[in-house]
Structure formats: C-alpha cells, structure tokens
C-alpha cells in the first residue's frame, strides 16, 4: 500500500486468491452434496440402493447430504462472495491473508471430517447439527477466524459508510456463532461421542431455535447481503431502494429469531412458545417479501438482459424462489396447515424450493459473475450457462411438484377417517406405497438438478483453463484515504450508526437476543413447572446403548417420536406425547418427518422377535416396506465397556442414576440382553446373540412410551 | 415457590405494552429512514458497490 498525501489517495490491492479458492471449493462441494442428495432420493424410491452397506444407508447419508449442501456448497459460496464484496465495499484489502488461508483450509478440513464421520455413524443426532464435539469446536475456532478477518477489514476500511450487505454479514457472523455455541453445548463421553446438556423439551426448543435460524442466518441473511451487492453489480445500477433495505435488515433479523418453534407445533412444547413461533413466522412474510421485491425491482428495465445473460437469469429466478419459499414457510407455520404438512414430504419440497431455488441458483449466478472476473477472462460458454439454467429449473420444478403432491397425499391419507371414525389407511405402509411413483419423479428431477451442477462445474473449469496464466497478477486500485476516521462525525440517526461498527454490531446482536431470551428463559426453566411424573424412569444401561445405536443409524431421519394431539394420531399411535416423557432424552429424538411410522409408543406393541426379523429383513415383516436392511446389527457387538462412563456422564447432567447402577452397568445390561435373547429362543435365536447391537436396539424400542402405560 | 410464581404469571398489560413498543419502534424507524432529508445520503450510499476504487 502506498500513500500519496498530496491528493490523499492510497494504492492497494484486493486479496482475490482466497475468493478463487472458495469459488473452486463451491463448485466441487456442490457436485458432492448434490450427488449425495441424488443417491438418498434413489434410496427412498427403491430400498435396494442402500446396497446393504452400513455407511451408505439413508439414515447416515441424509445428514451428509444436508451438511454438504448447506455448510460445504452454500457455505463456500457465501465465503467466496463475502470475501469478494467486503473488500470492495470497504475499499480495503482483507484484514489478514494468513487468516484467510486458515479460514479456507480449516473449513475444508471440517467438511472432510463431516464427510468421513457422518457415514461412519458419528453423530450427535440433532438435525443440521450432527457433527460431534471435536468438529463443533473446530467450527467455532474457524468461525472466529472468519469473524476477525471480516471485522478487521471493516475496521481498516476506506469507505466511511458500511453498506447494507455488510450489515447482513455482521448479523450472520454474530448470530451463527451464538446459535452454534448454544446448540453444541454437550458433555463428551469419548473422543467422538457426547450428550447434550439440554434434554427433552428444552433440547427440542434449543435445537429448533438453532435449526430454523441456521436456515435464517446461514442460508438467508448472508445471501441477502450478497444479493444487495451482486445484483446491483451485475446490472450496474444501485439497488432499487436503499431505504427499504434498511427496514428489510432490521425487521428481518429481529423477527426471524423468534420463528423456531414453528417446527414444533402440536408437540409437547408449551403452547405459548408454539403461538409465538407461529405469529412471528407469519410476520416474516413482510420483510422477506420486502427484500425480494427490492431485489427484483433492481432489475427493472433490464429484463431483456435477464433473457440473455445467465447471471441475471439465475439471480432473477433465485429471488423468485426466495419469494416463493418465504411465502410457503409462513403458510406452513400456521397451526392448522402444519397439522397437515408437518412430518410429510411437503416440508422437503419447501426446503428444496429454498435450498435449490434460492441458494443454488444464487450461487450459480454469483459464480458466473465471479469466475471470469477473478481469472480475468470471459465465460467459456454462455450457451452452456443457459442449458444449465433450464436443466436446473425444470429439474427443480419436477422435484418440487412431485414432492409437494407426495407430501399433501401423505398428510391427507394419515388423517383420513371412514364413516365410523376409524382410520381409512391404518397400515402406514399403504401411505408410503401410494407416493412411490412420485419418489421416482423426484429422482428424475434430482438427476436434472445434479446434471445442471455438473454443467456449471464443466463450464467454470473450462473458463479457468482458458484464462491467461501470465495475467493473474493482483490489480492495483486507488481510493481516498480514510480521513473521515479522524474528522468529526456530523451524521445523525441511522446514518451515524452506519459508520460505527461496534455499536452497529451490538444493536444487531441485541435485536437477535430479544427473541432468543424471551423464548429461552422460560423454556430453560421448564423443569420447574413441567409436571414430572414419577413413573418416568431413566433408561436402563442396555436401553441407553440401544438408544445410541438408534441415533448412530439416523433412525430419526425417517421416524418421529412425537404423537401430536390430533384425532388421527391418537387413533394411529396412541395417546399424545407429554413433555414429562422426554426428561431423560439426550438428545431428544422427536424427528421432523415420517417416512416410516412414529415410534413414540412402539414399546410392547410387537414381540422382540418381530423387531429382530424386521431389522434384518424389513419386508419379511412389513410387505412393501422401504426400510433398509440392518444386517450388521446382528454381527456387531454392543459396546458394554463404555456403559459405566455413559451413565456417569448422564448422572453429571442430572439423570438420577445410582452409584450402584453406574458400577453395575455392564452386568445389568448383559442380564437384560440375555433376557431379551432368551425370549426369542423358541424362534431359533441363539442365546449367543445377546451381546449383539440388535438386542440393545430392541431393548430401546421396547421401552419407548411404556413409562406412562404405552398406548 | 418458583413453580407457583411461574404458574400464576399474569400481567394483563404486558402483551399490549410489548405490541405497542414493537410497532412504536418500527414506526419511528420507518419515519426516520424515509424522511426526505436523508434521500441524497442514501442515494449516495447505494452507489458504493458500483465504485470499487480506481484501477
């Protein structure tokens, strides 16, 4: 950097190397994440695509898919865009090139760790937060590196005012840190196993406060920030209304954080929290659409270019899908709509309208803008860009419509009653078989989306290969020295605030904290007013071992454990679940979808042998079932040795295990395992089978919902 | 004791106060942001992305 004091101009360069690295990672992880999605979509259409291999089953790969597309694909695209735009909006080189490298390689290491550990079954069992505690700590550290780099750049900026995009980045950095740390509070049992400090209803509340706001503050606010930068850049004119963007920002971050409980409507969560979640979700319509309209109107007068240019095509479609998803989200948050849509594939359709329509398409538009600029060349093929766009759009259309119809069909069939008030489809598998053709349509739609991603990968690769390797030096820029830092600040109101990073950040955090605290404090105190039944007992050591296997296999990705107080659910599954039943559940396993039936009151419904056979060969017990075979459960041994440690950790977290139970955890577990195995001797099950994982899992399943007398 | 306090938590004016506070703050923000005096400043700020420094 040089300083020319005569005209107060400074010369500097931008660190685009880190942007290039994150862009390349975006393209690679996009392919990986969508390939995983395609595979699990195929597994749902035909169970044989689980291949009988434990680390390829749906339950283990589904978290891999979600983590790969959210944190690897979209995450890298966000970092790429944030590093590019922040430097330019601040007219300053990134705070530290070294921190940028640490951020990049650290994040990739985290992704690789996730890609290895999730298929191996190392999971905390909480959706979108499955990674175990050592990786959680790594995420925190790398996030701090990212924060220092961005805040450092803002601090040394030459531009006096902090543009609206950076506000969204600030809100993202602060809120994601808060969400991740609180939701990852866990107590390690071993190197890759932990139990959360929250249990049952509290854990559910914390998890969906995190889960919903991971969507809000990882998939939405940073992308909105990028939208406010890249759409004006692509079209070379300012945003339609900067004032609207201010209202958009504050109302969005204030309202969004309250909406988490809409994932738990009709559950055992207190009613007041459900109502708050629903109302604030509906209120989200306004700021979300304010942002969408602001983005789309920025394109006014240039729709002819939208027709021709892939960048604008992707941006316009992305904003349209954002509007659609943010219309559908509040709609699904209305209790009566949720009664139909929750646990069904409708939610999956909604998520993909946002994840593919909004996030993928925006990332694609950004890549078409960034890659040629970064490598100082032109795009390899505009035609391929257009083909990618139409392939992706048609694929998403097919996916969305098929899964929306499948979801509504499921919801209606689950609730349908005959003239006498009995369930019209009492056999759950009937509702699965009915939607299988739609699952195949989803596979085809997903295949098109994956192909579109491959086309982008190829197009970008050829673009990079076509760049002049001798023309990759950093460009030098000049801008006025930041003399405003030493002069008096005469701005007033919000204008003044825009120049003060620390105060701005504090107020943004406050806006986020208001909703969090109001929902959290009573929830965290819930144990003081939930009527705890003395019938609820901690899990036996063997049941606890079985529960950990249930979590490891990702059973929660297909089965819920929460019976809602709806007539059809009571008829199908039994009495509605009560908050008290989950006080020892760490983590809670309420689930969020029902590809298979709810298991909250599974205990005692069927004999042990039924479960044994069902796990080994589901179709022998339930014709047309799409559940994978879990043959390895009958060969792998239960980890008895670690049980005393597990009980000890549970006791430290407040579960009332006696010292005697902890010391005798192994013999107690073995005795219960032998009892279960002996009950199956007449069916030809050898007593030697007692130390296998399948027995522990049966013990857990047979316990579910029995404390209050089962159905 | 704690249980009794939480169970009998009933302050009828609190929801109305929260509602008025929320919409009050929102309205103040709207008025300030959309006041005519700030137009030129915001027009200028909205152009920041278009100027990334002279090459």
């Amino acid at each position: 950097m040089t300083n020319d004091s005569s005209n107060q101009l400074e010369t500097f360069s931008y660190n685009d190397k880190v942007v290039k690295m994150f862009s390349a990672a975006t393209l690679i992880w996009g392919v990986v994440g969508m390939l995983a999605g395609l595979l699990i979509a195929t597994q749902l259409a035909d169970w044989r695509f689980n291949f009988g291999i434990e680390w390829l089953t749906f339950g283990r790969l589904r978290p891999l898919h979600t983590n790969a597309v959210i944190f690897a694909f979209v995450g890298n695209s966000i970092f790429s865009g944030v590093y590019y735009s922040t430097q330019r909006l601040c007219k300053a080189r990134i705070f530290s090139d070294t921190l940028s490298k640490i951020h990049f390689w650290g994040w990739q290491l985290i992704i690789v760790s996730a890609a290895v550990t999730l298929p191996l079954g190392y999971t905390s069992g909480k959706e979108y937060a499955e990674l175990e505690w050592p990786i959680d700590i790594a995420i925190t550290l790398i996030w701090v590196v990212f924060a220092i780099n961005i805040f450092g750049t803002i601090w040394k900026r030459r531009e006096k005012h902090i543009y609206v995009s950076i506000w969204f980045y600030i809100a993202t950095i602060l809120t994601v840190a808060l969400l991740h740390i609180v939701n990852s509070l866990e107590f390690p049992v071993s190197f890759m196993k932990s139990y959360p400090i929250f249990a049952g209803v509290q854990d559910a509340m914390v998890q969906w406060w995190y889960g919903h706001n991971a969507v809000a503050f990882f998939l939405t606010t940073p992308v909105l920030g990028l939208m406010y930068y890249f759409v004006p850049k692509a079209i070379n004119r300012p945003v339609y209304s900067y004032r609207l963007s201010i209202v958009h920002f504050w109302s969005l971050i204030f309202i969004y954080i309250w909406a988490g409980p809409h994932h738990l409507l009709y559950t055992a969560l207190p009613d007041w929290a459900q109502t708050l979640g629903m109302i604030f979700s509906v209120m989200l319509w306004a700021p979300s659409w304010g942002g969408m309209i602001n983005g789309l109107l920025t394109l006014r007068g240039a729709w002819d270019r939208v027709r021709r240019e892939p960048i604008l095509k992707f941006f316009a479609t992305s904003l349209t899908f954002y509007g659609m998803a943010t219309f559908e989200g509040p709609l699904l948050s209305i209790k009566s709509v949720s009664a139909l849509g929750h646990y069904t594939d409708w939610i999956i359709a909604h998520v993909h309208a946002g994840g593919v329509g909004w996030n993928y398409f925006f990332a694609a538009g950004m890549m078409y803008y960034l890659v040629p600029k970064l490598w100082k060349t032109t795009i390899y093929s505009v035609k391929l860009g257009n083909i990618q766009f139409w392939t992706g759009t048609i694929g998403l259309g097919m996916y969305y419509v098929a899964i929306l119809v499948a979801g509504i069909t499921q919801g209606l069939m689950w609730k349908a009653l005959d003239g006498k008030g009995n369930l019209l489809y009492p056999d759950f598998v009937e509702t699965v078989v009915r939607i299988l053709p739609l699952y195949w349509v989803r596979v085809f739609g997903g295949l098109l989306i994956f192909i579109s991603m491959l086309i982008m990968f190829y197009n970008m690769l050829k673009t990079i290969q076509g760049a002049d390797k001798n023309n990759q030096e950093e460009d030098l820029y000049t801008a006025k020295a930041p003399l405003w830092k030493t002069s008096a600040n005469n701005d007033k109101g919000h204008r003044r605030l825009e120049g003060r990073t620390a105060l701005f950040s504090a107020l943004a955090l406050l806006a986020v904290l208001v909703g969090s605290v109001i929902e959290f404090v009573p929830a965290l105190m819930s144990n003081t007013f939930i009527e705890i039944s003395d019938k609820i007992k901690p899990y036996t050591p063997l049941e606890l071992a079985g529960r950990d296997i249930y979590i490891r296999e990702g059973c929660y990705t297909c089965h819920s454990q929460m019976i809602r107080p709806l007539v059809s659910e009571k008829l199908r599954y039994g009495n509605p679940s009560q908050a008290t039943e989950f006080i020892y559940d760490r983590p809670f396993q309420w689930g969020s979808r029902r590809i298979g039936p709810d298991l909250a009151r599974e205990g005692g419904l069927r004999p042990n042998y039924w479960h044994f056979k069902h796990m080994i060969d589901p179709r022998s017990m339930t014709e047309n079932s799409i559940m994978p075979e879990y043959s390895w459960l009958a060969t792998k041994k239960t980890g008895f040795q670690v049980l005393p440690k597990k009980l000890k950790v549970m006791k430290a977290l407040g579960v009332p295990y006696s010292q005697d139970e902890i010391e005798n955890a192994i013999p107690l577990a073995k005795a219960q395992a032998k009892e279960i195995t002996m009950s199956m001797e007449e069916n030809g099950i050898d007593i030697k089978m007692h130390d296998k994982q399948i027995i522990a899992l049966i013990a857990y399943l047979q316990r579910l919902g029995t404390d209050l007398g089962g159905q | 004791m704690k249980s009794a306090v939480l169970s009998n938590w009933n302050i009828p004016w609190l929801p109305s106060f929260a509602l008025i506070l929320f919409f009050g703050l929102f309205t103040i923000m709207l008025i300030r942001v959309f006041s005519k005096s700030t137009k030129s400043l915001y027009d200028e700020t909205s152009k920041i992305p278009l100027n990334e420094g002279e090459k």
Side-chain angles (χ1 to χ4, degrees):
Chain A
M1 185 181 79
T2 58
N3 194 342
D4 180 351
S5 58
S6 58
N7 57 8
Q8 298 171 330
L9 285 179
E10 289 181 347
T11 307
F12 59 96
S13 62
Y14 296 124
N15 177 353
D16 283 341
K17 195 176 173 194
V18 66
V19 186
K20 284 181 178 178
M21 288 156 78
F22 275 117
S23 298
T26 302
L27 298 167
I28 294 166
W29 290 117
V31 171
V32 174
M34 290 195 184
L35 180 63
L38 183 60
L39 177 58
I40 61 171
T42 315
Q43 289 173 335
L44 290 179
D46 189 329
W47 62 271
R48 282 169 291 203
F49 285 95
N50 289 279
F51 304 113
I53 301 170
E54 59 176 297
W55 44 270
L56 281 185
T57 50
F58 178 85
R60 296 197 190 184
L61 286 190
R62 198 255 188 175
L64 178 71
H65 165 58
T66 53
N67 278 273
V69 291
I70 296 173
F71 301 110
F73 169 53
V74 181
N76 277 304
S77 79
I78 289 168
F79 295 136
S80 145
V82 168
Y83 274 116
Y84 184 87
S85 60
T86 302
Q87 295 184 84
R88 284 157 175 83
L89 289 170
C90 291
K91 294 191 180 65
R93 189 179 177 87
I94 200 72
F95 177 67
S96 162
D97 289 356
T98 309
L99 287 182
S100 305
K101 278 183 200 158
I102 294 172
H103 178 196
F104 176 79
W105 288 112
W107 196 254
Q108 307 318 310
L109 188 65
I110 287 165
I111 295 167
V112 171
S113 308
V116 172
T117 57
L118 290 172
L120 290 175
Y122 296 110
T123 170
S124 63
K126 294 169 79 164
E127 273 182 86
Y128 316 122
E130 289 91 351
L131 304 177
E132 265 297 352
W133 68 272
I135 308 176
D136 281 340
I137 292 174
I139 292 171
T140 310
L141 294 175
I142 293 301
W143 197 259
V144 169
V145 167
F146 173 48
I148 293 171
N149 228 2
I150 296 301
F151 280 109
T153 311
I154 297 170
W155 174 70
K156 64 176 221 180
R157 71 190 186 279
R158 293 183 178 82
E159 182 65 54
K160 181 178 180 182
H161 288 290
I162 305 173
Y163 184 70
V164 64
S165 293
I166 297 178
W167 309 354
F168 280 100
Y169 305 157
I170 290 173
T172 300
I173 290 169
L174 296 174
T175 314
V176 168
L178 178 74
L179 294 166
H180 173 68
I181 291 170
V182 174
N183 194 45
S184 302
L185 292 173
E186 52 217 358
F187 207 115
V189 176
S190 61
F191 177 56
M192 285 303 281
K193 177 69 191 167
S194 63
Y195 292 126
I197 67 161
F198 304 110
V201 172
Q202 293 172 340
D203 195 34
M205 181 84 180
V206 172
Q207 159 61 19
W208 283 112
W209 168 76
Y210 162 88
H212 176 76
N213 290 302
V215 173
F217 287 88
F218 199 88
L219 296 177
T220 306
T221 53
V223 184
L224 286 169
L226 296 173
M227 182 273 283
Y228 277 118
Y229 177 79
F230 282 101
V231 173
K233 284 295 281 184
I235 205 151
N236 200 29
R237 66 164 61 151
V239 65
Y240 170 68
S241 168
Y242 194 77
R243 292 158 150 184
L244 182 57
S245 73
I246 298 173
V247 180
H248 177 206
F249 171 77
W250 285 110
S251 48
L252 192 85
I253 66 161
F254 176 74
I255 295 174
Y256 232 136
I257 204 84
W258 298 71
H262 72 216
H263 290 260
L264 300 166
L265 298 178
Y266 288 112
T267 66
L269 192 75
D271 265 354
W272 64 265
Q274 296 186 33
T275 307
L276 260 184
M278 179 180 82
I279 291 171
F280 275 85
S281 302
V282 173
M283 284 165 69
L284 263 176
W285 246 322
S288 302
W289 273 50
M292 174 200 66
I293 288 166
N294 212 1
L296 284 177
L297 286 180
T298 305
L299 295 168
R300 72 200 182 286
W303 288 94
D304 58 313
R305 285 179 60 195
V306 173
R307 201 164 46 83
R308 293 192 308 271
E309 298 175 20
I311 299 173
L312 297 183
K313 215 172 247 176
F314 277 115
F315 283 162
T317 312
S318 166
L319 280 161
T320 309
F321 270 105
Y322 175 64
M324 200 175 110
T326 54
F327 175 82
E328 194 180 34
L331 179 74
L332 280 162
S333 303
I334 296 168
K335 275 185 110 172
S336 46
V337 181
S338 173
L340 174 72
H342 193 47
Y343 295 125
T344 72
D345 280 326
W346 186 355
I347 308 300
I348 313 305
H350 166 61
V351 166
H352 283 78
V356 178
W358 163 235
N359 291 118
Y360 163 40
F361 284 178
F362 193 88
M366 206 172 72
M367 288 298 118
Y368 275 92
Y369 177 88
L370 278 180
V371 170
K373 277 206 170 358
L374 291 169
W375 273 271
K376 297 177 184 172
T377 182
T378 52
I379 198 75
Y380 170 68
S381 168
V382 172
K383 193 177 176 185
L384 271 182
N386 286 327
I387 292 173
Q388 178 202 344
F389 171 79
W390 285 112
T391 313
T393 306
I394 292 168
L396 178 58
M398 288 178 73
Y399 185 113
Y400 179 79
V401 171
I403 295 307
L404 175 69
V405 173
I408 293 174
T409 305
Q410 277 175 316
L412 291 174
M413 288 181 82
W414 293 346
K415 291 167 99 57
L417 304 178
D418 64 15
K420 292 177 183 168
N422 297 318
L423 290 170
L424 204 55
Y425 305 99
D427 199 357
F428 188 90
V429 80
E430 280 182 274
T431 68
V432 178
V433 171
R434 185 67 65 89
I435 58 174
L436 280 183
L438 294 165
Y439 278 4
W440 278 113
V441 179
R442 164 165 62 183
V443 171
F444 190 67
L447 178 65
L448 290 181
I449 296 169
F450 176 63
I451 289 171
S452 78
M453 177 61 82
L454 283 179
I455 293 171
M456 178 162 79
F457 185 86
Y458 176 75
N459 208 4
M460 294 300 152
L461 187 67
K462 294 299 282 183
T463 303
I464 294 167
Q465 284 176 344
D468 181 359
K469 290 178 180 59
N470 299 318
N471 182 27
Q472 298 299 316
E473 295 298 312
E474 287 179 350
D475 289 327
L476 292 177
Y477 292 81
T478 53
K480 282 182 186 170
L483 295 179
W484 53 269
K485 282 185 179 175
T486 50
S487 60
N489 187 349
N490 297 321
D491 289 332
K492 288 178 184 167
H494 201 278
R495 241 354 238 185
R496 190 179 177 87
L497 182 63
E498 287 165 39
R500 297 186 159 192
T501 322
L503 181 62
F504 188 93
S505 304
L507 287 176
L509 187 62
L510 183 69
V512 170
L513 281 175
V514 171
S516 305
V517 170
I518 290 177
E519 284 185 349
F520 255 34
V521 173
L524 293 181
M525 293 163 70
S526 62
N527 279 352
T528 61
F529 57 89
I530 285 178
E531 203 172 307
I532 296 173
S533 166
D534 54 11
K535 291 180 184 168
I536 309 297
K537 304 289 180 204
Y539 293 107
T540 66
L542 186 68
E543 289 161 2
L544 188 62
R547 191 170 202 273
D548 288 340
I549 294 164
Y550 182 94
I551 292 166
R552 183 191 72 195
E553 298 302 337
C555 303
Y556 67 91
T557 59
C558 290
H559 297 279
S560 59
Q561 286 186 25
M562 172 51 62
I563 305 170
R564 296 176 294 175
L566 304 171
V567 173
S568 57
E569 302 229 341
K570 183 167 167 41
L571 288 170
R572 189 180 295 277
Y573 303 118
N575 288 325
S577 300
Q578 296 179 34
T580 183
E581 293 181 81
F582 306 101
I583 54 172
Y584 301 127
D585 282 12
R586 293 171 196 271
F588 81 111
Q589 289 289 282
W590 295 359
S592 64
R593 68 195 292 204
R594 288 176 182 157
I595 297 169
D598 185 276
L599 300 177
R601 305 218 180 279
E602 182 63 27
L605 272 187
R606 290 169 251 266
N608 293 333
Y609 183 63
W610 187 95
H611 285 290
F612 188 94
K613 283 280 287 177
H614 185 245
M615 228 75 77
I616 305 297
D617 178 11
R619 265 109 349 238
S620 66
M621 293 288 110
T622 308
E623 201 182 349
N624 297 321
S625 167
I626 61 169
M627 187 169 128
E629 294 169 347
Y630 289 89
S631 56
W632 55 91
L633 294 179
T635 54
K636 285 192 156 188
K637 288 189 173 179
T638 303
F640 288 113
Q641 296 307 319
V642 76
L643 283 174
K645 180 91 183 285
K646 285 185 174 177
L647 263 68
K648 210 172 165 184
V649 169
M650 282 291 191
K651 191 181 181 188
L653 291 167
V655 181
Y657 285 119
S658 67
Q659 196 54 34
D660 190 47
E661 281 174 304
I662 294 172
E663 283 167 9
N664 293 304
I666 298 171
L668 282 170
K670 286 187 173 172
Q672 190 183 3
K674 279 180 183 159
E675 195 183 317
I676 291 170
T677 317
M678 280 165 68
S679 76
M680 299 188 288
E681 265 190 318
E682 63 184 33
N683 303 105
I685 305 297
D686 194 323
I687 189 70
K688 286 179 187 164
M689 190 60 79
H690 82 278
D691 61 352
K692 301 297 185 294
Q693 294 183 353
I694 197 166
I695 305 298
L697 186 54
I698 292 171
Y700 172 63
L701 291 172
Q702 293 290 30
R703 171 67 186 276
L704 288 174
T706 53
D707 281 354
L708 294 184
Q711 289 202 312
Chain B
M1 169 65 184
K2 217 189 297 176
S3 173
V5 170
L6 288 165
S7 309
N8 297 311
W9 185 269
N10 186 19
I11 307 174
W13 54 265
L14 200 59
S16 310
F17 173 75
L19 191 70
I20 291 165
L21 183 70
F22 174 74
F23 280 104
L25 284 172
F26 184 73
T27 310
I28 290 168
M29 181 179 72
L30 277 185
I31 292 167
R32 292 208 69 134
V33 168
F34 283 91
S35 72
K36 282 185 181 172
S37 62
T38 58
K39 188 177 185 309
S40 60
L41 287 169
Y42 285 130
D43 283 349
E44 183 195 320
T45 309
S46 69
K47 289 175 188 151
I48 291 176
L50 306 181
N51 171 20
E52 53 189 51
E54 299 295 320
K55 267 193 187 182

